[in-house]
Amino acid sequence: MSVIVWIEQADGQPLASSLEVLGKGRELADALGGSLDAAVLGAETDAAASVVQTYGVDTVYTVTSPELENYRLSAYAAGLKQAVEAS
């Protein structure tokens, strides 16, 4: 079973609170015997995904689209669904 953490970002960098959640996510993933995955969504995802990879994540899923530049529930829900289905 995978544990997926949604990584919120601002100015191309992951928010500190999202990085903190990765620590708890690792504990859960290890207890479940699964992987720790992260989902980075936005108009630009490369920089944030690079930072997240240094936090011991097994897989980083990126969903990049101009529609994700500003938060919209429907667009983000669709992007998160893609990440969940890929894991």
Side-chain angles (χ1 to χ4, degrees), residues 3-84:
V3 174
I4 299 178
V5 175
W6 169 34
I7 305 298
E8 289 186 82
Q9 60 172 327
D11 299 321
Q13 295 300 310
L15 295 182
S17 58
S18 291
L19 297 175
E20 290 174 16
V21 174
L22 288 175
K24 185 53 77 174
R26 171 52 66 197
E27 289 178 24
L28 289 170
D30 290 348
L32 294 169
S35 64
L36 173 61
D37 302 332
V40 180
L41 289 78
E44 299 289 331
T45 57
D46 291 342
S50 293
V51 171
V52 169
Q53 191 63 50
T54 67
Y55 280 76
V57 173
D58 297 307
T59 304
V60 177
Y61 297 100
T62 58
V63 180
T64 309
S65 171
E67 292 182 18
L68 298 170
E69 184 171 358
N70 297 307
Y71 181 80
R72 287 188 13 239
L73 179 59
S74 60
Y76 270 75
L80 287 171
K81 181 181 177 190
Q82 287 179 338
V84 168

